[in-house]
Amino acid sequence: MSVPQDLQYSEEHEWVKKDADGKVYVGITEFAQNELGDIVFVELPEVDSELKANEPFGSVESVKTVSELYAPVSGKVVEVNETKRWKTRLNL
């Protein structure tokens, strides 16, 4: 399992990456994906939603369980990658 060094990680296995333009991207770690198994549904926030650090903002449903996603940072959602809702492997 590779661990990208340009990301910051939360205890809940989310990652954060900040671009040069100031946008922040959030995803779940490869470890979390492996633990969940086959992912069947992802609930993501709507554009313009306000997220608060350490608060739930969505969920990932796998054949094993449903896990909440926790915001690693506070901010406003400006874009959601809709194609990730139905992919087995995720980088939210």
Side-chain angles (χ1 to χ4, degrees):
M1 177 178 355
S2 67
V3 181
Q5 298 301 307
D6 61 337
L7 305 177
Q8 294 180 325
Y9 298 92
S10 74
E11 291 182 14
E12 290 79 23
H13 301 286
E14 284 89 15
W15 56 257
V16 177
K17 180 178 182 177
K18 187 174 183 178
D19 267 356
D21 64 2
K23 285 185 182 176
V24 175
Y25 298 84
V26 176
I28 62 173
T29 64
E30 185 176 349
F31 175 81
Q33 292 177 51
N34 290 336
E35 289 295 304
L36 287 166
D38 291 333
I39 295 170
V40 296
F41 182 75
V42 179
E43 178 184 31
L44 297 174
E46 297 295 325
V47 171
D48 293 329
S49 298
E50 293 286 339
L51 303 184
K52 293 185 180 181
N54 304 313
E55 295 286 325
F57 72 92
S59 62
V60 177
E61 182 179 342
S62 72
V63 294
K64 294 180 182 180
T65 189
V66 175
S67 296
E68 286 195 301
L69 298 169
Y70 291 88
V73 295
S74 295
K76 182 177 181 178
V77 177
V78 296
E79 184 179 357
V80 175
N81 189 340
E82 294 291 337
T83 62
K84 298 301 181 182
R85 290 184 196 271
W86 305 110
K87 300 275 185 182
T88 300
R89 308 307 291 165
L90 299 177
N91 287 320
L92 302 175

